[in-house]
């Protein structure tokens, strides 16, 4: 999809060439005439600059067509459409979404997430039992994977483009298979940490390559719906992964967990070998340009605003992941805490079935505003939570809120950018989101220590509520739909 300027205008009225005459492109000096074509001296040609360079005129009655696609707009700008062109038929079939490659991308995405949740659940206990590590060191054994993933995202956004998205993803999944088996031969804590970091780097590069490619596979007019289905699959691993790990380690031992992650990774590797992925349209010819890492190769400015909002939203959700168990234990509501994430996953499954379609049809704001409100209410309920039922209701609202926001933001970022910048834009999103997850325990820990869990959850509810204003300032005040150019909302 081409990047479309915000203030684009439709071409002014001009003399349309006959339909059976090929239009002369800019710079083409070859005279192309058919027997039916009149002599140029008898019928003047439309000026190429008049067709190509006129901008969006909001005073025209047809200037704000809400259903025009980005591709259609691009065609109009380039001169392939004229004002007298017939509109598309109302019963035009929607572009196909569920292709073989899109389904294979979903399978690979599930593999990445499932292996992560299986290992992060059992790694701390493994470090304690095998190396007699303390609780802090054991926790670092679990989080070293995330550190490797976060560091890799600073470079992955650019480097996957010239390495090749499919080639990068195959290599990363091969590392996934080998790393799962390598855990069986780890003989020291230091080697374990190094392996976890390498495993995390493979995750960061592989997921960046996959996300960049999948948004090229999704039709622009169905990007919100496609992102919802794509992210729908990763709602299951947070519930399935820990359950599998607990059962395997309890009945067979840690070796079964590691072998199982390698088997799951093999499934993803086979899918990567079968998938066809769109690659970057332009790769620098000189190796110096390929290897040079500039700030623009790490952070995409057009994606930064939404990524910053996602960081604050992730900051709030990390408070639930980190402190809900301790809060439930202190309040004697452990059963509700154990059911929270199961209920959350079920709510995410429901919301991602329809939220993307709503986003495609009615725009980003119709999805984002209500889901932020639901998410803030869920944190407020945790701060209040007089009984276990309220905690479970909070799980439902968190799934309907935060679960819908992640694919909605990714679809919006992909819609903003040309294909050559999609990988860096998605990488920017995850860099800031992971930063929010990583900083949350460090910032919120003192609130718990010197205040209480309830004060901490209340502070997060206020933080999430404040993102409503931030979203309106940075994005919501524009009238935005998937596949349609971004333009200021009319009063």
């Amino acid at each position: 999809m081409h990047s479309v300027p915000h203030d684009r205008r439709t071409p002014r009225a001009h003399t349309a060439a006959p339909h059976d005459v090929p239009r002369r492109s800019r710079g083409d000096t070859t005279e192309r005439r058919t027997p039916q074509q009149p002599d140029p001296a008898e019928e003047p040609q439309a000026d190429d600059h008049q067709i190509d360079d006129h901008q969006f005129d909001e005073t025209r009655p047809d200037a704000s067509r809400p259903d025009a696609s980005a591709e259609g707009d691009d065609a109009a700008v380039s001169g392939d459409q004229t004002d007298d062109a017939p509109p598309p038929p109302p019963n035009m079939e929607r572009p196909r979404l569920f292709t073989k490659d899109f389904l294979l991308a979903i399978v690979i995405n599930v593999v990445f997430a499932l292996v992560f949740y299986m290992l992060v659940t059992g790694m701390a206990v493994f470090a304690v039992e095998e190396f007699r590590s303390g609780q802090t060191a054991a926790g670092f054994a679990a989080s070293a994977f995330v550190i490797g993933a976060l560091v890799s995202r600073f470079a992955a956004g650019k480097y996957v483009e010239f390495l090749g998205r499919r080639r990068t993803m195959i290599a990363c999944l091969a590392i996934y298979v080998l790393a799962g088996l390598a855990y069986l031969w780890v003989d020291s804590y230091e080697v374990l940490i190094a392996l976890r970091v390498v495993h995390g780097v493979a995750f960061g590069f592989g997921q960046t390559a996959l996300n960049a490619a999948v948004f090229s596979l999704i039709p622009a007019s169905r990007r919100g719906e496609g992102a919802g289905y794509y992210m729908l699959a990763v709602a299951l691993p947070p519930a399935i992964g820990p359950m599998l790990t607990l059962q395997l380690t309890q009945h067979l031992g840690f070796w079964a967990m590691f072998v199982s992650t390698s088997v799951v990774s093999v499934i993803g590797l086979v899918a990567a070998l079968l998938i066809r992925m769109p690659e970057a349209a332009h790769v620098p010819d000189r190796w110096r340009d390929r290897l040079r890492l500039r700030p623009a190769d790490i952070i995409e400015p057009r994606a930064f605003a939404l990524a910053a909002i996602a960081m604050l939203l992730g900051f709030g959700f990390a408070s639930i992941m980190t402190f809900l168990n301790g809060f439930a234990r202190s309040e004697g509501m452990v059963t509700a805490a154990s059911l929270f994430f199961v209920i959350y996953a079920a709510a995410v499954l429901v919301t991602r079935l329809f939220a993307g379609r709503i986003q495609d049809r009615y725009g980003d704001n119709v999805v984002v505003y209500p889901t932020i409100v639901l998410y803030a209410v869920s944190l407020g309920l945790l701060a209040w939570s007089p009984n276990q039922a309220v905690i479970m209701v909070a799980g439902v609202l968190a799934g309907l809120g935060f679960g819908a926001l992640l694919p909605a933001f990714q679809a919006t970022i992909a819609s903003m950018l040309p294909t050559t910048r999609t990988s860096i834009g998605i990488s920017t999103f995850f860099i800031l989101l992971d930063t929010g997850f990583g900083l949350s325990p460090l910032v919120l820990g003192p609130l718990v220590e010197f205040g209480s869990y309830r004060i901490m959850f209340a502070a997060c509810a206020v933080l999430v509520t404040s993102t409503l204003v931030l979203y309106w300032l940075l994005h919501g005040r524009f009238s935005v739909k998937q596949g349609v150019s971004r333009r200021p909302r009319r009063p």
Side-chain angles (χ1 to χ4, degrees):
M1 186 184 72
H2 298 289
S3 178
V4 184
H6 296 176
D7 58 350
R8 183 179 57 209
R9 299 176 183 171
T10 56
R12 287 199 292 263
H14 58 274
T15 304
H19 294 292
D20 58 345
V21 180
R23 185 178 297 277
R24 182 162 55 91
S25 61
R26 179 182 295 182
D28 185 3
T29 58
T30 304
E31 189 71 16
R32 292 178 294 182
R33 295 167 59 186
T34 64
Q36 295 80 17
Q37 181 178 358
D39 188 81
E42 299 174 3
E43 180 162 338
Q45 297 289 326
D47 182 46
D48 290 331
H49 292 276
Q50 180 181 5
I51 294 173
D52 285 331
D53 296 336
H54 284 308
Q55 295 180 324
F56 192 82
D57 187 356
E58 296 193 37
T59 61
R60 291 175 57 87
D62 60 343
S64 58
R65 296 189 302 261
D67 295 326
S69 66
E71 292 80 6
D73 288 339
D74 288 343
V77 173
S78 62
D80 292 331
Q81 271 188 344
T82 60
D83 292 339
D84 57 352
N91 58 348
M92 178 181 290
E93 184 177 341
R94 291 198 302 169
R96 186 181 176 192
L97 174 60
F98 289 101
T99 61
K100 180 202 75 173
D101 297 321
F102 180 64
L103 294 175
L104 289 173
I106 292 177
V107 171
I108 297 170
N109 201 25
V110 171
V111 168
F112 278 132
L114 185 58
V115 170
F116 168 76
Y117 283 104
M118 287 182 68
L119 291 178
V120 78
T121 302
M123 194 56 63
V125 180
F126 174 74
V128 170
E129 293 191 5
E130 291 295 321
F131 306 113
R132 301 295 186 266
S133 302
Q135 290 300 321
T136 301
F140 184 68
S143 62
F145 184 100
V146 179
I147 293 174
L150 178 60
V151 171
S152 70
R153 293 191 195 279
F154 286 93
K158 175 179 180 177
Y159 291 157
V160 297
E161 298 296 10
F162 78 83
L163 293 174
R165 295 170 180 174
R166 182 173 178 270
R167 189 183 298 114
T168 299
M169 194 171 58
I170 291 174
C172 291
L173 284 165
I175 294 174
Y176 252 52
V177 175
L178 297 176
L181 298 175
Y183 287 114
L184 297 171
W185 285 276
V186 169
D187 57 359
S188 69
Y189 176 81
E190 292 74 17
V191 174
L192 176 64
I193 295 300
L195 182 57
R196 292 292 287 160
V197 171
V198 171
H199 207 166
V201 169
F203 173 79
F205 268 87
Q207 191 185 56
T208 299
L210 179 63
N211 288 339
V214 79
F215 282 104
S216 298
L217 293 171
I218 300 172
S221 60
R222 304 185 68 180
R223 190 161 279 143
E225 180 184 3
Y229 290 132
Y230 175 66
M231 295 293 291
L232 174 66
V234 297
L236 294 175
I240 297 176
M243 180 184 68
L244 286 175
T245 293
L246 292 174
Q247 293 297 320
L248 289 171
T249 56
Q250 182 177 356
H251 295 96
L252 298 175
F254 288 104
W255 70 268
M257 176 182 70
F258 297 137
V259 171
S260 297
T261 57
S262 290
V263 171
V264 172
S265 300
V266 167
I267 296 173
L269 180 59
V270 172
L273 292 171
L274 296 176
I275 195 173
R276 293 180 302 175
M277 302 176 66
E279 299 291 347
H282 173 71
V283 175
D285 294 326
R286 297 184 301 178
W287 278 97
R288 183 182 67 180
D289 295 330
R290 293 184 178 187
L291 297 176
R292 183 175 56 184
L293 196 63
R294 300 168 299 177
D297 299 323
I298 300 174
I299 299 295
E300 168 54 54
R302 287 167 289 186
F304 187 84
L306 285 179
I309 298 172
M311 180 181 70
L312 298 178
L313 297 172
F315 192 93
F317 191 74
S319 70
I320 299 175
M321 296 181 64
T322 306
F323 298 109
L324 181 61
N325 187 38
F327 170 65
R329 289 178 180 273
S330 66
E331 298 288 335
M333 296 186 287
V334 179
T335 302
S338 62
L339 291 174
F340 180 94
F341 289 105
V342 176
I343 295 172
Y344 167 82
V348 169
L349 287 173
V350 173
T351 189
R352 289 182 181 172
L353 286 174
F354 62 83
R357 292 188 179 185
I358 295 174
Q359 183 181 9
D360 289 335
R361 184 169 183 179
Y362 299 105
D364 303 335
N365 296 345
V366 176
V367 171
V368 173
Y369 285 128
T371 49
I372 290 180
V373 171
L374 291 175
Y375 180 29
V377 171
S378 72
L379 289 166
L381 289 177
L382 289 176
W384 173 51
S385 59
N387 53 56
Q388 300 195 83
V390 173
I391 292 181
M392 289 186 281
V393 171
V396 174
L397 297 182
L400 296 176
F402 187 72
L405 287 168
L406 295 184
F409 277 20
Q410 289 184 64
T412 302
I413 290 173
S415 183
M416 288 179 175
L417 305 175
T419 54
T420 55
R421 300 289 296 178
T422 301
S423 63
I424 298 177
I426 298 299
S427 178
T428 300
F429 174 83
F430 280 106
I431 286 173
L432 269 70
L433 182 65
D434 290 347
T435 301
F437 274 101
L439 291 178
S440 179
L442 300 177
V443 175
L444 298 178
L447 273 180
V448 176
E449 184 176 355
F450 297 106
S452 67
Y453 288 107
R454 296 182 185 275
I455 292 176
M456 183 269 300
F457 284 129
C460 289
V462 173
L463 176 66
V464 170
T465 302
S466 69
T467 62
L468 286 168
V469 178
L470 188 60
Y471 173 80
W472 181 85
L473 289 173
L474 299 177
H475 186 79
R477 62 194 178 95
F478 295 91
S479 179
V480 182
K481 289 180 67 176
Q482 296 303 314
V484 181
S485 61
R486 187 180 181 202
R487 57 188 182 274
R489 182 182 298 278
R490 291 185 176 184

